[in-house]
Amino acid sequence: MKVLLADDHALFREGVRMVLESLSNEPLDIIEASDFTQVLSLVRGGGDFDVALLDLAMPGMDGFSAIGAVRRSAPDVYLVVVSASEEPQTVRKALDSGAHGYICKSAGSASMMAGIRSVLEGDTFVSPHIVVPDSPAPAAGDINGEQLHSLLTPRQRDVLAMLRQGKSNKEIARDLNLAEITVKLHVTAILRALGCENRTQAAILAAKMGV
């Protein structure tokens, strides 16, 4: 697994690298960056990263703008913010900007790895002690393809594609090897994120967006 580890403090990067290498169950190729200019250069240079761990407060550009820039440059990378800020509104803005997860620097090593694994499995992860406010749902007709990509996790996009095919929760669970209750939670999150009232409306939107 190829990991982009970005933080402007070398000591923190060294600590995270040690945690990742000691707790990971698979070989890791960890590439480090100390500012957003380096991050974007690596991503746009065809780094083919599986996951990016980014601090919000680095030189180069605003952290939230950087999240969007990384997602546009590498839409398939799993992007996790690792930040000292525990402000709920900051977490909400990071997720709305396209982050798949938000891990506080105060979290322990086991919690950090659990968060990364959760994101890699297609879920959105936020450090458990933070209560994140809901973001206002957009009107379904106002969503474009790029927004759809950033609003949903990769797993939710998989579920949405199957909703478009008219599959039931039971069929989706079987095809994606998920528990049916997990599929139900994904469907609820999809409807809320896309501002849709029901599965049919979500499926029509998915068809328009080419999901």
Side-chain angles (χ1 to χ4, degrees):
M1 181 167 67
K2 194 168 184 179
V3 180
L4 173 58
L5 172 58
D7 194 282
D8 58 342
H9 292 92
L11 190 60
F12 181 78
R13 295 198 307 272
E14 182 179 342
V16 173
R17 174 186 283 272
M18 291 175 62
V19 168
L20 294 176
E21 291 177 341
S22 64
L23 296 182
S24 177
N25 296 322
E26 60 181 296
L28 299 177
D29 180 13
I30 301 176
I31 308 299
E32 297 185 17
S34 60
D35 58 47
F36 285 123
T37 302
Q38 292 179 8
V39 168
L40 292 176
S41 177
L42 288 166
V43 170
R44 291 168 177 168
D48 197 25
F49 294 98
D50 297 294
V51 60
L53 306 178
L54 307 182
D55 183 20
L56 276 179
M58 291 192 296
M61 65 188 303
D62 169 71
F64 303 112
S65 299
I67 292 173
V70 170
R71 291 298 313 280
R72 288 190 295 273
S73 300
D76 293 329
V77 70
Y78 291 94
L79 193 154
V80 181
V81 171
V82 183
S83 174
S85 175
E86 300 187 7
E87 288 294 326
Q89 293 296 342
T90 298
V91 180
R92 177 74 273 162
K93 190 171 182 180
L95 297 177
D96 289 345
S97 297
H100 297 106
Y102 193 104
I103 299 173
C104 297
K105 288 185 175 180
S106 61
S109 57
S111 177
M112 177 178 292
M113 286 303 299
I116 295 171
R117 291 191 182 105
S118 179
V119 167
L120 289 173
E121 290 171 358
D123 296 319
T124 299
F125 179 87
V126 174
S127 291
H129 64 285
I130 298 179
V131 179
V132 184
D134 290 334
S135 59
D142 295 336
I143 299 172
N144 58 38
E146 181 178 315
Q147 290 171 324
L148 182 66
H149 204 87
S150 65
L151 284 169
L152 304 180
T153 67
R155 178 63 76 196
Q156 288 168 352
R157 293 199 295 272
D158 291 340
V159 172
L160 179 59
M162 293 190 174
L163 288 180
R164 178 187 175 185
Q165 299 171 25
K167 293 189 175 183
S168 66
N169 286 355
K170 186 174 183 179
E171 291 171 323
I172 296 172
R174 182 193 62 220
D175 291 351
L176 295 181
N177 195 27
L178 297 172
E180 194 169 344
I181 184 63
T182 301
V183 174
K184 185 176 181 181
L185 291 172
H186 280 316
V187 171
T188 299
I190 290 168
L191 297 183
R192 182 175 64 248
L194 301 185
C196 295
E197 297 180 359
N198 52 53
R199 305 163 67 97
T200 301
Q201 190 176 4
I204 292 173
L205 179 61
K208 289 181 179 178
M209 296 296 103
V211 175

